[in-house]
């Protein structure tokens, strides 16, 4: 059986090309765990799409390079004239600084052709070029895995081309707090595109949480434990900490050549304790802060002078860019000054190398290091920490790790965590590490080595792909069921006619009212009135002795009384917290001990935004509050809703047991568990007891325009669909009776759950608008008269 294909899309290919002739090329394999992880996914035939690291403008060069790369499983993307403003511009000059908390840089003042907008246009064009290459090579059933901030628009382009395409996106850098991300001019476009992917992955929970907060605050969507919910569509957001290839480092550190290097280095260092730093020469790596902390340590611990040294390997990146030359000069200044203060004729305390070193030599250094010092000011993961742990077999050196490196959440238990901005704290950590007992070193090393050994790069890739396949497979199964989602009216009517005890559960707003676009507004809100063509038909339906009708709404009691007082039906107000038959009195169904202390605080916030948003209004009830801005200016209303969510989470609901439901043009806050589905069992128990129901319910039609968690009402009656025996409480007396029998005897063909106006739903079927509900009820009434 042929393996499924995986198309990996990233800025760069795993090889860098160099032209050696008109039709000939040489290649250098790129370092890093990502390459080995993705090429090691044995269950997939992997094709890698990316920039080859060189601009190629002639047709012969493009053709020969493509042919040669194809032999390596690689497909080149030729960016040509767009490359500079795309990669050096938008990616590295705008996105990278914001994602690493460095802020938005000023625009170029000396070149009117280079602006935020011109760089963003180049970014869009480059993402389009990536898309064109994917489209050219895509085959039905392929999985597409997009990597990093360079291709944030690609998921949307792919899904617009083929909505069934399996698409994942993973970010290898930090995702900033929403306050920092909000400064990005194109913030909404990038978020909406990423949300079209089936699975979005991050290295740490902090990064995932920041992403979820940004989506809530900027887009106004709902966040759940699974991800983001927008108009019924769920985008899964999950955490996948990347690792290394531990066996590669373990095995290399045991090679005879490496053992010889270890002996040589120990001899060269003259018995001094070794503190090692291995970083890219980058503003976020905190190398100047590292030097200042080491200087502080030498100042306060004179007994260690001449007995400890700091070896810093600073691998050059982005040579020629001003900011990087500045950080290089800054490092050299600190090294010269500290060596001048604490050095001697025979030794200096700091050795700074502006270069990368041979892999075997690096493993040898890791193996003999006493302290690895990582002082990143912001880092996606920092795999140097894992590499060091894998190579430590005999020394059991200590890891000092910045809390701002992603690895802090994975390796913090076996490390000394520090704030790199706190020079005194890092200095103290150096002293603690150098003086740590052998037993404590052993304990910390054992914890981290076990983690590094089991959480490999390969495991990371497997976990992400397994989750993506699981999600897309479930979606396909759901799509298979949803292929016939348009309500089959003939079946609804036919099964209705055959049944003996029918239950109809109907929403109110958007279901039994006029279509939303035709609603009349009043000064303080929506004038909720029954659809004029429905009145007589609904009355006729309710008069059928075989049919029980329940209107289940978030509306207040008075609104339901006004619209349905003359009908023979059940009314469930405020999501079922209050219940009555139209011939009786309202009964409170609020669960005991429900904490509603948050109500006043939320109401205060809602009133504040109502006063400042013309056309918006507040709906209050005993267990929930709704702010509706449907009659406000659409753009302004959305902006106000985003700000409101931030105020709510920061204040009145920060520690409250509430659910926040984000509607299309509303924000609802209600107590946890106050959903239509959770109320359904209480409602059903009351109805069964009141009617002394003896015949099992054998037909259910549930129609509504429900949002978020209220969609649980659609799944309440989903049978294993044989017999559903329930023990149902009724509120008919002080001592509630239990109704225990086969109250619901429902077959699959006799259950119809219907959502109004949306296809991404837990309901089995959909109708376009309440006009269709009117027609359907009319046909059911016609059957009653037949």
């Amino acid at each position: 059986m042929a393996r499924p294909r995986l198309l990996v899309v990233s800025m760069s290919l795993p090889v860098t090309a160099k032209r050696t002739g008109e039709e000939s090329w040489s290649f250098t394999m790129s370092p890093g765990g990502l390459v080995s992880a993705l090429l090691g996914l044995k269950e997939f035939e992997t094709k890698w799409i990316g920039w080859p690291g060189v601009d190629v403008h002639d047709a012969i060069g493009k053709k020969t390079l493509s042919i040669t790369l194809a032999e390596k499983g690689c497909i080149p993307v030729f960016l040509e004239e767009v490359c500079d403003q795309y990669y050096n511009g938008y990616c590295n000059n705008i996105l990278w600084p914001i994602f690493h908390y460095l802020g938005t840089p000023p625009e170029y003042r000396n070149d009117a052709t280079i602006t935020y907008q011109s760089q963003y246009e180049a970014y869009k064009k480059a993402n389009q070029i990536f898309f064109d290459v994917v489209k050219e090579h895509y085959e039905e059933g392929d999985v597409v895995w997009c990597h990093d901030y360079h291709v944030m628009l690609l998921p949307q382009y792919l899904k617009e081309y083929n909505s069934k395409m399996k698409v994942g996106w993973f970010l290898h850098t930090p995702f900033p707090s929403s306050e920092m991300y909000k400064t990005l001019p194109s913030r909404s476009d990038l978020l909406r595109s990423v949300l079209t992917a089936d699975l979005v992955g991050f290295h740490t929970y902090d990064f995932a949480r920041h992403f979820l907060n940004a989506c809530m605050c900027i887009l106004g969507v709902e966040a759940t434990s699974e991800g983001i919910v927008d108009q019924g569509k769920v985008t899964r957001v999950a955490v996948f900490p990347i690792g290394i290839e531990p066996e590669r480092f373990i095995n290399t550190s045991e090679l005879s050549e490496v053992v010889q290097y270890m002996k040589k280095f120990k001899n060269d260092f003259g018995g001094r304790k070794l503190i090692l730093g291995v970083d890219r020469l980058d503003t976020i790596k905190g190398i100047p802060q590292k030097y200042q902390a080491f200087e502080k340590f030498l100042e306060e611990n004179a007994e260690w002078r001449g007995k400890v040294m700091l070896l810093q390997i600073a691998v050059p990146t982005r040579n020629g860019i001003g900011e990087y030359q500045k950080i290089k000069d800054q490092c050299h200044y600190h090294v010269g000054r500290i060596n001048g203060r604490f050095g001697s004729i025979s030794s200096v305390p700091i050795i700074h190398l502006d270069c990368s070193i041979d892999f075997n030599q690096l493993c040898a250094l890791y193996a003999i290091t006493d302290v690895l010092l990582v002082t990143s000011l912001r880092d996606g993961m920092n795999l140097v920490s894992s590499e060091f742990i894998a190579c430590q077999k005999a020394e059991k050196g200590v890891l000092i790790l910045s809390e701002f490196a992603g690895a802090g959440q994975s390796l913090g238990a076996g490390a000394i965590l520090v704030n790199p901005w706190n020079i005194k704290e890092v200095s103290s950590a150096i002293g603690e590490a150098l003086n740590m007992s052998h037993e404590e070193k052993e304990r910390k090393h054992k914890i981290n080595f076990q983690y590094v050994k089991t959480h490999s790069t390969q495991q990371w890739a497997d976990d992400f792909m397994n989750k993506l396949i699981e999600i897309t497979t479930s979606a396909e199964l759901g799509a298979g069921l949803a292929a016939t989602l348009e309500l089959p009216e003939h079946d609804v009517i036919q099964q209705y006619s055959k049944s003996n005890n029918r239950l109809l559960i109907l929403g109110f707003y958007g279901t039994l009212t006029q279509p939303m676009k035709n609603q009349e507004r009043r000064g303080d809100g929506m004038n909720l009135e029954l659809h004029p063509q429905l009145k007589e038909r609904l009355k006729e339906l309710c008069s059928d002795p075989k049919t029980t009708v329940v209107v289940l709404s978030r509306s207040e009691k008075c609104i339901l009384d006004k619209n349905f007082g003359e009908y023979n039906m059940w009314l469930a107000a405020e999501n079922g917290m209050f219940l009555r038959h139209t011939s009786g009195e309202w009964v409170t169904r609020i669960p005991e001990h429900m904490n509603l202390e948050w109500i006043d605080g939320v109401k205060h916030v809602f009133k504040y935004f109502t006063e400042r948003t013309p056309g918006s209004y507040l709906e209050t009830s005993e267990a929930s509050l709704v702010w509706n801005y449907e009659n406000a200016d659409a753009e302004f209303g959305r902006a106000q809703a985003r700000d409101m969510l931030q105020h709510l989470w920061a204040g009145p609901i920060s520690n409250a047991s509430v659910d926040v439901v984000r509607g299309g043009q509303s924000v609802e806050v209600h107590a946890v568990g106050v959903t239509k589905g959770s109320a359904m069992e209480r409602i059903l128990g009351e109805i069964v007891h009141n009617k002394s129901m003896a015949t099992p319910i054998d037909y259910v039609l549930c129609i509504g325009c429900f949002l978020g968690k209220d969609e649980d009402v659609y799944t309440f009656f989903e049978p294993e669909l044989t017999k559903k025996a329930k023990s149902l409480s009724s509120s008919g007396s002080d001592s509630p009776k239990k109704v225990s029998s086969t109250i619901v005897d429902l077959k699959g063909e006799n259950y119809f759950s219907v959502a109004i106006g949306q296809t991404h739903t837990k309901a089995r079927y959909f109708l376009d608008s309440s006009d269709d509900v009117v027609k359907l009820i009319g046909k059911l009434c016609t059957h009653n008269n037949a």
Side-chain angles (χ1 to χ4, degrees):
M1 182 178 176
R3 290 181 300 165
R5 294 205 325 162
L6 170 64
L7 302 182
V8 175
V9 187
S10 66
M11 170 61 199
S12 300
L13 289 173
V15 295
T16 301
K18 181 179 180 181
R19 196 161 193 169
T20 56
E22 186 179 7
E23 299 185 17
S24 58
W25 297 85
S26 65
F27 300 96
T28 305
M29 195 70 180
S30 301
L34 178 62
V35 174
S36 56
L38 300 181
L39 295 180
L41 287 166
K42 303 300 183 186
E43 67 271 28
F44 289 93
E45 178 191 346
T46 303
K47 302 290 183 184
W48 200 306
I49 297 173
W51 184 56
V54 62
D55 289 329
V56 186
H57 300 283
D58 61 300
I60 294 176
K62 290 179 180 179
K63 182 178 179 180
T64 55
L65 179 57
S66 299
I67 293 172
T68 311
L69 283 173
E71 298 170 0
K72 302 179 181 296
C74 295
I75 302 166
V77 174
F78 300 111
L79 297 171
E80 298 179 351
E81 72 280 353
V82 78
C83 187
D84 184 56
Q85 286 217 44
Y86 157 64
Y87 181 63
N88 294 322
Y90 196 78
C91 291
N92 290 336
N93 186 53
I94 296 177
L95 289 182
W96 192 90
I98 289 177
F99 280 27
H100 289 85
Y101 290 80
L102 299 178
T104 309
E107 294 199 57
Y108 294 95
R109 294 179 180 173
N110 299 327
D111 191 341
T113 64
I114 303 177
T115 63
Y116 289 148
Q117 191 58 40
S118 70
Q119 291 173 85
Y120 184 53
E121 290 302 321
Y123 183 82
K124 289 195 291 185
K125 187 173 181 180
N127 274 251
Q128 184 68 46
I129 294 171
F130 275 99
F131 163 70
D132 291 338
V133 176
V134 175
K135 183 173 71 171
E136 180 184 349
H137 294 272
Y138 176 78
E139 297 175 4
E140 194 66 34
D142 286 355
V143 179
V144 184
W145 191 358
C146 308
H147 287 269
D148 236 344
Y149 56 92
H150 309 91
V151 288
M152 291 181 75
L153 291 177
L154 183 58
Q156 181 173 343
Y157 295 161
L158 295 173
K159 284 292 190 177
E160 287 174 351
Y161 169 67
N162 183 344
S163 62
K164 296 181 180 178
M165 191 182 293
K166 303 178 180 72
V167 178
W169 182 80
F170 192 91
L171 183 65
H172 293 272
T173 70
F175 193 91
S177 69
S178 58
E179 287 303 305
M180 176 61 70
Y181 182 80
K182 281 168 68 175
T183 64
L184 183 64
S186 51
R187 59 192 190 181
S188 298
D189 293 345
L190 298 183
L191 286 181
R192 290 198 183 281
S193 175
V194 168
L195 288 178
T196 61
D198 300 294
L199 175 62
V200 176
F202 298 92
H203 283 310
T204 75
Y205 283 100
D206 282 348
F207 304 160
R209 176 169 52 83
H210 291 160
F211 176 77
L212 293 173
N213 286 342
C215 290
M216 285 193 297
C217 296
I218 294 169
L219 303 181
V221 294
E222 182 183 358
T224 71
S225 58
E226 291 188 330
I228 294 294
V229 182
D230 185 15
Q231 299 297 310
K233 180 188 179 298
V234 179
T235 300
R236 299 295 183 88
V237 178
V239 176
F240 305 91
I242 197 170
I244 62 169
E245 292 180 272
E247 298 301 330
R248 180 184 178 217
F249 288 88
I250 293 169
N251 295 337
T252 301
S253 62
E254 295 175 351
L255 295 176
S256 58
E257 180 186 351
V258 174
V259 173
Q260 289 302 312
Y261 277 131
M262 291 163 60
K263 292 177 181 177
K264 179 181 183 304
F265 292 151
K266 282 186 176 182
N267 183 63
D268 291 344
F269 300 152
R272 288 183 292 172
K273 293 284 187 180
L274 174 62
I275 300 175
L276 180 65
V278 181
D279 304 278
R280 286 184 295 106
L281 184 60
D282 208 325
T283 51
I284 65 164
K285 294 299 184 178
I287 300 176
Q289 285 79 3
K290 184 183 302 188
Y291 288 153
Q292 291 172 47
F294 186 57
E295 180 180 23
K296 184 76 171 174
F297 172 76
L298 293 176
E299 281 178 358
E300 298 182 349
N301 298 274
E303 71 277 12
W304 276 103
R305 296 173 192 170
K307 297 179 182 178
V308 62
M309 61 174 290
L310 170 58
L311 170 59
Q312 177 65 53
I313 299 169
V315 181
T317 58
R318 306 178 192 173
N319 289 326
I321 296 178
E323 288 298 316
Y324 291 87
Q325 185 60 48
K326 193 182 298 182
I327 194 72
K328 183 177 181 180
D329 293 343
Q330 191 179 1
C331 289
H332 289 179
Y333 165 75
H334 285 301
V335 171
R337 183 174 52 77
I338 296 168
N339 283 344
R341 284 188 68 189
F342 300 107
S344 66
I345 295 173
S346 58
S347 68
V348 291
I350 300 177
I351 297 175
H352 176 101
L353 301 178
D354 283 318
C355 62
S356 58
I357 66 170
D358 172 77
F359 181 70
N360 286 357
Q361 292 183 1
L362 178 63
C363 289
L365 286 173
Y366 280 147
I368 65 170
T369 290
D370 297 285
V371 179
L372 182 76
L373 186 52
V374 178
T375 54
S376 302
L377 307 180
R378 195 69 58 174
D379 228 343
M381 182 53 72
N382 194 292
L383 296 177
V384 165
S385 309
S386 297
E387 295 171 0
F388 162 71
I389 291 164
C391 291
Q392 283 274 314
K393 186 175 182 181
E395 296 295 332
K396 306 297 187 292
V398 180
L399 171 62
I400 299 177
L401 181 57
S402 166
E403 64 186 60
F404 298 116
Q409 287 191 9
S410 302
L411 301 174
I416 301 174
L417 288 178
V418 294
N419 173 3
W421 295 101
N422 188 332
I423 302 304
K424 174 67 176 173
E425 182 181 326
V426 180
S427 170
S428 298
I430 293 172
E432 180 185 348
L434 290 172
N435 292 298
M436 188 177 291
S437 68
H438 183 73
E439 292 74 23
E440 182 65 6
K441 289 180 184 179
E442 286 270 8
R443 187 187 70 82
K444 286 182 174 293
H445 174 76
K446 185 177 180 181
I447 292 171
N448 279 347
F449 186 77
Q450 183 61 32
Y451 180 88
V452 170
K453 193 86 185 293
T454 54
H455 293 77
S456 65
T457 315
Q458 190 64 58
Q459 186 63 50
W460 164 80
D462 287 340
D463 288 346
F464 187 94
M465 291 309 300
N466 290 339
K467 187 69 173 177
L468 179 57
I469 296 301
E470 173 194 325
I471 291 167
T472 52
T473 301
S474 299
E476 285 174 354
L477 292 174
L481 295 172
T484 56
L485 261 181
E486 191 167 353
L487 185 66
E489 284 191 359
H490 177 267
D491 294 344
V492 174
I493 296 166
Q494 186 178 54
Q495 297 303 324
Y496 178 89
S497 65
K498 294 179 181 178
S499 55
N500 297 308
N501 189 6
R502 310 153 184 147
L503 176 64
L504 271 61
I505 304 159
L506 307 174
F508 179 37
Y509 175 57
T511 306
L512 301 179
T513 60
Q514 290 190 72
M516 298 173 207
K517 64 177 185 288
N518 297 329
Q519 285 288 338
E520 293 181 10
R521 274 84 173 182
R522 59 173 189 243
D524 59 344
M526 181 70 69
N527 186 17
L528 292 174
E529 292 185 352
L530 196 62
H531 196 298
Q533 299 175 26
L534 194 57
K535 295 182 178 180
E536 292 305 317
R537 299 176 186 182
L538 189 59
K539 187 177 294 185
E540 191 176 328
L541 196 68
C542 293
S543 65
D544 183 353
K546 291 184 178 181
T547 303
T548 302
V549 178
V550 180
V551 172
L552 178 56
S553 174
R554 76 181 185 191
S555 298
E556 297 173 84
K557 301 187 290 289
C558 60
I559 293 176
L560 297 190
D561 282 337
K562 173 187 172 184
N563 283 281
F564 301 102
E566 61 184 292
Y567 297 89
N568 177 28
M569 63 165 59
W570 289 83
L571 304 177
E574 298 187 24
N575 289 329
M577 292 298 99
F578 299 91
L579 181 70
R580 83 170 178 109
H581 189 272
T582 46
S583 62
E585 299 298 320
W586 284 103
V587 176
T588 302
R589 305 302 295 144
I590 298 179
E592 292 183 21
H593 312 301
M594 178 177 284
N595 188 339
L596 298 176
E597 294 178 358
W598 51 269
I599 285 276
D600 289 341
V602 172
K603 188 180 293 185
H604 180 76
V605 173
F606 276 13
K607 283 183 176 179
Y608 175 90
F609 280 91
T610 300
E611 291 170 1
R612 287 156 179 79
T613 313
S616 70
Y617 60 92
L618 171 62
E619 299 174 75
T620 63
S621 61
E622 293 187 40
S624 67
L625 295 170
V626 180
W627 182 68
N628 194 304
Y629 59 93
E630 190 175 36
N631 200 29
D633 176 80
E635 192 61 37
F636 183 61
R638 283 193 292 270
Q640 292 288 77
R642 292 194 293 266
D643 287 346
M644 173 188 284
L645 288 169
Q646 293 185 69
H647 282 280
L648 290 174
W649 285 114
I653 66 172
S654 58
N655 295 307
S657 296
V658 298
D659 286 328
V660 179
V661 181
R662 184 76 169 83
Q665 292 172 301
S666 65
V667 177
E668 178 178 0
V669 180
H670 58 227
V672 168
V674 182
T675 66
K676 293 177 171 65
S678 65
M680 201 61 236
E681 188 165 331
R682 299 191 299 271
I683 294 169
L684 191 57
E686 182 75 20
I687 291 172
V688 169
H689 173 69
N690 183 275
K691 296 184 73 170
S692 300
M693 193 177 286
T695 305
I697 295 170
D698 58 356
Y699 178 95
V700 174
L701 173 62
C702 178
I703 308 179
C705 182
F706 304 138
L707 298 172
K709 295 179 178 65
D710 283 334
E711 284 210 340
D712 59 356
V713 72
Y714 293 135
T715 56
F716 178 81
F717 286 99
E718 279 290 352
E720 284 78 347
L721 289 170
T722 50
K723 292 186 176 179
K724 192 171 189 175
K726 280 185 174 285
S727 180
L728 302 167
S729 298
S730 78
S731 59
S733 65
D734 294 335
S735 185
K737 297 175 183 174
K738 295 286 184 181
V739 183
S740 183
S741 61
T742 50
I743 299 306
V744 181
D745 185 9
L746 201 57
K747 304 293 188 298
E749 63 269 19
N750 279 18
Y751 178 55
F752 301 92
S753 55
V754 189
I756 306 297
Q758 60 178 2
T759 56
H760 290 294
T761 172
K762 292 180 181 178
R764 291 182 171 194
Y765 307 103
F766 75 90
L767 289 172
D768 288 331
S769 74
S770 58
D771 286 338
D772 297 315
V773 179
V774 172
K775 294 174 186 176
L776 178 63
I777 290 178
K779 291 176 181 177
L780 295 178
C781 291
T782 301
H783 165 78
N784 282 342
N785 296 329

